Amino acid sequence: MSPEASAKGTVPFGEYRTWYRVTGELGAGRPAVVAVHGGPGSTHDYLLPLARLAEDGWPVVHYDQLGNGGSTHLPGREPEFWTVELFEDELANLIERLGIADDYVLFGQSWGGPLCARHAMTAPPGLRGLVVANAPASYPMWLEEMARLRAALPPEVDDTLRRHEAAGTYDSEEYLAAMRVFYDRHVCRVTPWPRDFLSSFMEIYNDPTVYYAMNGPNEFHVIGSLKDWSIVGDLHRIRTPTLVISGRHDEATPAVVQPYHDEIPGARWEIFEESSHLPHLEEPERFRAVLTDFLKCL
Ligand SMILES: N=C(O)[C@@H]1CCCN1
């Protein structure tokens, strides 16, 4: 079980509200670790195990990005509204509103990785460290790797996926069953799926506005506005101590993650051999050791 929150609430973000929770005490000596979830259009729930860092003295901030979870929902908002810049502004706003801009670390998972990388490129003086976990640096590269991973699925699975993608029947039982084969291999190898992951998974589809607009119907059929987006070639601007994390069986394959290691000066890369997209859930003890070792060096 993750430790109880010490505070929960919302901060104004323009005319909207961003929901957050704090575990531990902000400003008590160690930088706040800000957990930035993926999707976009997911929620903080699957990253809740990071709250245990507070037991070692690092306060942890979780938040739900605009559009999902406890933050303002905007169903039916035009797809063009949902931009990378919007979520960059929301993250910067949250950091300022919580008073942690002088001393914080970013933990960006999946889509949260490039979002945090973009934030780090602005060289905020109070950013002490950056963790890029299971993250794409280029969506075109992501899609190339998705095609390779799908080709390695049992032949009838990819055939089923293609047939329903051509028909647009993403909510058919047959498509969802085939999708699960991919997810059990490359998203979460723990069965049954942990409750925290299930919570975020269901939240995505309870209000798919953001996920569908920017990503698409699932992790491997990325047809949203991010499908051509890349930060490859810009990552060299980051001067923050950086830890890169991925899983050996991760949908964020080594090829997808490689630019973070190649371009960010001094970046250290840890690959979790028994994990896919969620090492913090698939190898929790090793994950905690790797992360706390990194944080102790900041
Ligand atoms: N869940 C996520 O954030 C991933 C990133 C690339 C496709 N979806």
Side-chain angles (χ1 to χ4, degrees):
M1 275 296 280
S2 302
E4 288 299 310
S6 48
K8 291 182 182 181
T10 62
V11 294
F13 172 49
E15 61 190 284
Y16 312 117
R17 307 291 298 187
T18 299
W19 179 92
Y20 71 93
R21 60 165 271 171
V22 179
T23 312
E25 185 183 350
L26 297 179
R30 280 185 156 167
V33 178
V34 183
V36 184
H37 66 70
S42 185
T43 62
H44 77 283
D45 303 84
Y46 76 101
L47 295 177
L48 273 174
L50 271 75
R52 291 188 62 193
L53 290 170
E55 296 166 1
D56 301 318
W58 286 280
V60 182
V61 174
H62 289 86
Y63 77 104
D64 289 333
Q65 295 160 33
L66 186 68
N68 277 76
S71 295
T72 306
H73 288 229
L74 298 166
R77 195 66 187 256
E78 68 281 8
E80 297 72 27
F81 171 80
W82 304 103
T83 64
V84 173
E85 292 73 19
L86 172 74
F87 291 108
E88 286 181 79
D89 292 346
E90 182 184 42
L91 175 57
N93 178 68
L94 178 71
I95 289 165
E96 284 299 329
R97 296 272 184 181
L98 292 182
I100 57 176
D102 294 336
D103 198 23
Y104 65 104
V105 174
L106 289 181
F107 178 97
Q109 200 275 342
S110 207
W111 135 264
L115 175 57
C116 290
R118 288 265 299 200
H119 180 94
M121 288 177 201
T122 66
L127 179 60
R128 304 291 178 230
L130 170 67
V131 183
V132 178
N134 320 103
S138 157
Y139 277 74
M141 197 180 293
W142 178 275
L143 286 168
E144 287 172 17
E145 287 295 281
M146 289 305 104
R148 187 175 66 76
L149 296 180
R150 286 177 59 156
L153 294 172
E156 71 281 0
V157 173
D158 197 28
D159 292 346
T160 299
L161 293 173
R162 291 175 183 280
R163 181 159 33 86
H164 284 284
E165 285 159 2
T169 47
Y170 307 122
D171 56 358
S172 74
E173 286 301 318
E174 193 182 45
Y175 185 78
L176 294 171
M179 180 176 121
R180 180 69 191 250
V181 175
F182 180 96
Y183 277 51
D184 284 346
R185 277 195 188 191
H186 300 301
V187 180
C188 184
R189 296 165 74 90
V190 177
T191 50
W193 284 353
R195 186 197 61 180
D196 291 339
F197 175 55
L198 268 178
S199 299
S200 287
F201 183 82
M202 295 312 295
E203 279 284 331
I204 289 175
Y205 296 99
N206 285 341
D207 184 347
T209 304
V210 182
Y211 193 68
Y212 278 24
M214 296 183 78
N215 186 80
N218 53 50
E219 292 295 280
F220 49 74
H221 191 51
V222 179
I223 53 175
S225 59
L226 286 174
K227 65 183 173 57
D228 301 314
W229 187 60
S230 173
I231 55 172
V232 171
D234 298 335
L235 293 163
H236 64 85
R237 291 160 45 191
I238 295 172
R239 288 294 183 273
T240 309
T242 299
L243 171 65
V244 179
I245 284 174
S246 64
R248 180 61 64 192
H249 308 283
D250 201 333
E251 57 177 358
T253 65
V256 161
V257 175
Q258 191 76 43
Y260 290 107
H261 182 253
D262 290 351
E263 293 189 25
I264 301 175
R268 181 159 68 83
W269 187 359
E270 284 283 345
I271 296 182
F272 287 76
E273 294 298 333
E274 306 307 320
S275 293
S276 57
H277 200 48
L278 306 172
H280 65 288
L281 295 176
E282 296 168 293
E283 296 181 68
E285 293 314 314
R286 174 147 186 268
F287 173 85
R288 184 174 182 179
V290 165
L291 187 51
T292 49
D293 285 351
F294 171 72
L295 293 172
K296 285 173 185 170
C297 296
L298 298 178

